[in-house]
């Protein structure tokens, strides 16, 4: 942590909400009033376990974001990767799926200590439009309280640890908002709504200038041959596809916590190899 963490979740949430309002009053306005004690007790009864104190505190402050016609209100996607805080009814709506999914995985031989073997002990706090889930681990043990991002829609199935606790997560976001420095590669900012003209919270990748034509080997020497070791947004030009011998352009990208490579004939066009649609995959970067 680059600065001393606040002592309580209430403190860190107050700091986060202050900065969110500075960036975008419209996004802050999508937060609903806090959940009642009865609503929280019902959630715990359905799930069969007590909520982590940080999750309880978050729901007591704000019961997720406003929904209009079944969809989160515009501006509610104020967390990185466009995540939107879930109200209790949304959390409950996915309970049966998580329970069934967990049981099916255990029946297939996955241990309950694996991520998918205890999906019934996830407590989602937010979701994204591409079916991503941001949840807090409630399985007793060393991972209890961890904040995990699971980008189901983006294909990031392994799960990415965003913070050891929800307090640390919002404290890190607050630091990012305050200093305009990245959180997990994401830079805080705003965008103008096409519908309302209001400015809403929006996280983007930092711009990275292109690297020169001979940079590939230097990148491999510096960062290793796996794309997770290569900074996001680097561009490599005039790389030869080994299958079709075309000159291609490679760009590292990130989605749902997993880096991948995009291959183009030139920036903006997908590369289709006439021999085998070879592309240049993340596992092949050391060959190119």
């Amino acid at each position: 942590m680059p600065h001393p963490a606040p002592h309580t979740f209430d403190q860190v949430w107050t700091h986060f909400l202050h900065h969110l309002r500075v960036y975008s009053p419209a996004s802050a306005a999508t937060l609903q009033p806090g959940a009642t004690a009865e609503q929280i007790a019902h959630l715990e009864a359905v799930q069969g376990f007590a909520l982590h104190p940080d999750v309880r505190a978050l729901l007591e402050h704000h019961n997720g974001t406003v929904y209009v016609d079944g969809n989160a209100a515009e501006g509610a996607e104020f967390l990185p990767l466009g995540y939107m805080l879930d109200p209790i009814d949304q959390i409950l709506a996915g309970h049966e799926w998580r329970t069934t999914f967990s049981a099916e995985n255990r029946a297939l031989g996955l241990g309950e200590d694996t991520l998918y073997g205890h999906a019934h002990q996830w407590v989602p706090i937010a979701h994204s439009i591409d079916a991503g889930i941001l949840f807090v681990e409630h399985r007793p043990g060393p991972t209890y309280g961890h904040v995990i991002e699971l980008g189901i829609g983006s294909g990031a199935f392994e799960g990415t640890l965003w913070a050891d606790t929800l307090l640390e997560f919002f404290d890190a976001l607050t630091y990012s908002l305050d200093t305009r420095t990245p959180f997990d590669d994401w830079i805080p900012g705003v965008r103008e709504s096409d519908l309302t003209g209001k400015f809403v919270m929006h996280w983007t990748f930092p711009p990275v200038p292109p690297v020169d034509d001979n940079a590939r080997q230097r990148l491999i020497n510096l960062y290793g041959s796996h794309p997770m070791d290569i900074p996001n947004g680097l561009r490599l030009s005039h790389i030869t596809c080994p299958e079709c011998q075309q000159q291609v352009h490679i760009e590292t990208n990130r989605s749902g916590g997993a880096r991948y490579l995009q291959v183009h004939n030139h920036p903006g066009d997908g590369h289709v190899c006439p021999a085998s649609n070879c592309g240049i995959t993340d596992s092949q970067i050391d060959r190119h």
Side-chain angles (χ1 to χ4, degrees), residues 35-170:
T36 66
E38 290 76 14
Q39 288 175 308
I40 292 174
H42 177 61
L43 173 61
E44 291 180 324
V46 171
Q47 294 187 140
F49 51 80
L51 292 174
H52 187 283
D54 288 354
V55 176
R56 171 182 284 273
L58 174 62
L59 291 171
E60 288 174 343
H61 279 282
H62 294 282
N63 186 17
T65 50
V66 173
Y67 272 67
V68 179
D69 296 327
N71 297 306
E74 186 176 32
E77 65 284 4
F78 55 72
L79 299 178
L81 279 173
Y83 273 93
M84 300 161 275
L85 289 176
D86 287 335
I88 284 178
D89 58 354
Q90 285 290 116
I91 300 172
L92 288 170
H95 170 71
E96 182 176 353
W97 174 83
R98 292 189 300 274
T99 301
T100 302
F101 181 63
S102 180
E104 290 173 346
N105 285 323
R106 292 196 305 277
L108 292 172
L110 289 180
E112 194 166 325
D113 57 336
T114 64
L115 186 64
Y116 290 116
H118 64 267
H120 60 292
Q121 293 172 310
W122 304 349
V123 176
I125 60 165
H127 74 283
S128 65
I129 60 171
D130 66 348
I133 303 174
L134 187 65
F135 65 89
V136 175
E137 281 270 28
H138 279 66
R139 176 175 169 76
T143 64
Y144 179 70
H146 283 189
V147 181
I148 305 293
E149 192 275 322
L150 193 63
I152 293 177
S154 65
F157 298 113
E158 297 299 319
T160 301
L161 177 66
W162 273 12
D164 287 341
T165 66
L166 201 56
L167 183 153
E168 289 187 9
F169 172 62
F170 281 109

Side-chain angles (χ1 to χ4, degrees), residues 182-193:
F183 171 83
D184 197 39
D185 289 344
W186 293 89
I187 296 287
V190 295
R191 65 171 178 83
E192 185 175 4
S193 167

